[in-house]
Amino acid sequence: MLAKRILTALLFIQLFFIAINAQTSNSITVENALDEIDVIHQHLKTTHFNPFLHIKETDYLQKIAHIKQKIETHGKEIDLGNFVIYAMQAVAPLNDAHTSIEWWNIINETQNTSPQFLGELFTIDQSYQLHTEKDQIVTKINGYDASTLVKEAMECYGGNYTFKKRFLEKTFFSAFLYLKGIKAPYTISYNNGTQETSQQNTTLSTLFSRFAQQTNNYTFDILKNNTGIIYYNSCEDLQQFKVFLKETFATIRQKNIDRLIIDIRNNTGGNSSLNDLLINYVHRGKYRQSSTRHWKISPQLKAVLQTKPYMETFGKRSVNLICKQADGSILKEDIYPPKKTKKPKNYFKGKSCLLIGPSTFSSANFLADAVSTYHIMPIIGLPTGEETNDFGESIPIHLPTSNLYLMISVAYDIGADGDPETIDVVHPDYSVEFNAIDYAIQFLKQQ
């Protein structure tokens, strides 16, 4: 079984399209809300690979108790948007970016007008302050303290800080305001004493596209100085990627391109088998993307794996192996030894580099880890958004009372170096925050 075959972002899209047809009540009773928090807690304990790796269970239970206290302040009923926030904050303390509440399932697109979200773009600093694109500091939004809102929104997701920060800035903060009931018109106050009213709205699909900033899964362009660039934005569709690489490297050979940039800064993962195809074109020698994987066996995992998309992805043999294990046990896969690359036609013999950043996640992080560990090519950009030893393979669990989906990690992967003690992201060889492509062009020219 190859690591990180199922991507959270793919389920992201699948569940989004389920959501647009979902009929969801606008509120939930406080009694049901409290029960749902308990259900989430139980699912995490029975299904998640190791829910208390990053937090003591006693500390987690204290956080759950605090969340329940806040729910009880709502009286008899609680707005569903507010409950989603509490549910997310009940999951986030695990500090696992692959385990989360998929909040968009409550959005009802069957209304006459589609839900709108704040269209402004902000950056967030270490003090939870919001900065506009003109570097103004936002103090209030519709009367709410802006820094308090940012802190509350940050508590809705687990995982690497840089990944969460980017996700909030591009996507989730605007959605968080919507869930909290803060909607247009937006009165935005600034630290210089001024304020303005913004009617700028955007759609949920636009918010998602902001985070990945991609229009195609993979494209190829020719830049100046005889430099080609592959924008590898998603590890999706193995056969299509195979064709893309064949055509791309044929073009590279025909046009005598001897410098190549591979950009995975906006790649949030998918099927890591696509990475093997790419590595074959740029590397001669042994490598691996991951050293080993462990599975937590549960009835929920067995049920999900026997559905069509998972069965097709993992294969009947692997699914049967998992389903034979006892519930509650840990299945340790064999260590994946480094494997030799297979030299394809039009193998690239020139100079290359890899661009990474905070949105480099999941299977894309596997690629970055392999490139770094085996020194396949220099790496330029910013650190990735995920540790090399991390949870993965999220499965969806439906919460019938709220109609939400809880995504839970059922596996744990050890990175390419094989060290189970390593808790770190992939770092670039050359740290570049802005104009990384221009830097890469000049870097390859000088090599």
Side-chain angles (χ1 to χ4, degrees), residues 381-439:
L382 296 173
T384 61
E386 184 180 21
E387 286 77 14
T388 55
N389 293 348
D390 205 4
F391 299 111
E393 301 304 348
S394 303
I395 64 170
I397 294 178
H398 183 244
L399 303 175
T401 303
S402 62
N403 203 33
L404 294 169
Y405 278 89
L406 168 63
M407 304 299 299
I408 299 184
S409 296
V410 293
Y412 189 74
D413 296 297
I414 306 300
D417 65 0
D419 184 355
E421 302 301 319
T422 300
I423 304 295
D424 201 3
V425 299
V426 179
H427 293 273
D429 299 307
Y430 303 90
S431 181
V432 179
E433 183 173 3
F434 303 108
N435 304 317
I437 292 177
D438 290 338
Y439 182 96

Side-chain angles (χ1 to χ4, degrees), residues 107-128:
I107 295 169
N108 192 343
E109 292 276 30
T110 61
Q111 299 173 359
N112 293 331
T113 57
S114 296
Q116 296 292 307
F117 305 86
L118 177 64
E120 301 282 353
L121 279 170
F122 303 103
T123 55
I124 300 168
D125 66 21
Q126 293 285 347
S127 300
Y128 300 108

Side-chain angles (χ1 to χ4, degrees), residues 1-7 270-276 289-293 295 313-314 333 336 362-364 366 390 392-393 411-414:
M1 286 179 281
L2 194 63
K4 303 273 183 177
R5 290 242 187 166
I6 296 289
L7 168 66
N271 182 346
S272 57
S273 297
L274 277 73
N275 301 335
D276 292 324
Q289 296 187 58
S290 174
S291 61
T292 190
R293 156 166 288 183
W295 292 87
T313 300
F314 288 102
E333 289 191 38
Y336 308 136
S362 197
S363 288
F366 270 29
D390 205 4
E393 301 304 348
Y412 189 74
D413 296 297
I414 306 300

Side-chain angles (χ1 to χ4, degrees), residues 228-239:
I229 182 167
I230 293 175
Y231 296 97
Y232 183 19
N233 296 321
S234 179
C235 307
E236 185 178 354
D237 197 331
L238 184 69
Q239 293 306 314

Side-chain angles (χ1 to χ4, degrees), residues 242-311:
K242 186 180 296 185
V243 172
F244 167 79
L245 291 177
K246 182 178 180 180
E247 294 175 348
T248 295
F249 282 94
T251 299
I252 289 173
R253 173 65 64 85
Q254 292 165 7
K255 296 186 178 293
N256 295 314
I257 293 171
D258 58 1
R259 303 183 183 103
L260 179 63
I261 301 168
I262 299 172
D263 188 348
I264 60 170
R265 290 176 297 170
N266 295 310
N267 191 327
T268 55
N271 182 346
S272 57
S273 297
L274 277 73
N275 301 335
D276 292 324
L277 297 177
L278 176 60
I279 290 173
N280 284 335
Y281 278 95
V282 295
H283 178 59
R284 293 267 61 78
K286 292 184 176 182
Y287 77 98
R288 63 183 174 189
Q289 296 187 58
S290 174
S291 61
T292 190
R293 156 166 288 183
H294 302 75
W295 292 87
K296 168 71 172 291
I297 309 301
S298 67
Q300 294 91 330
L301 172 61
K302 293 175 180 178
V304 168
L305 286 185
Q306 293 181 77
T307 60
K308 186 175 181 180
Y310 287 85
M311 182 70 77

Side-chain angles (χ1 to χ4, degrees), residues 117-120 168 171-179 207 210:
F117 305 86
L118 177 64
E120 301 282 353
L168 257 71
T171 300
F172 183 64
F173 185 70
S174 294
F176 170 80
L177 296 180
Y178 179 88
L179 292 170
L207 287 184
R210 275 184 185 173

Side-chain angles (χ1 to χ4, degrees), residues 130-138 190-192 194 196:
L130 279 182
H131 295 252
T132 68
E133 291 183 297
K134 297 179 181 178
D135 206 30
Q136 297 171 293
I137 296 177
V138 178
Y190 302 99
N191 64 329
N192 60 5
T194 63
E196 63 182 9

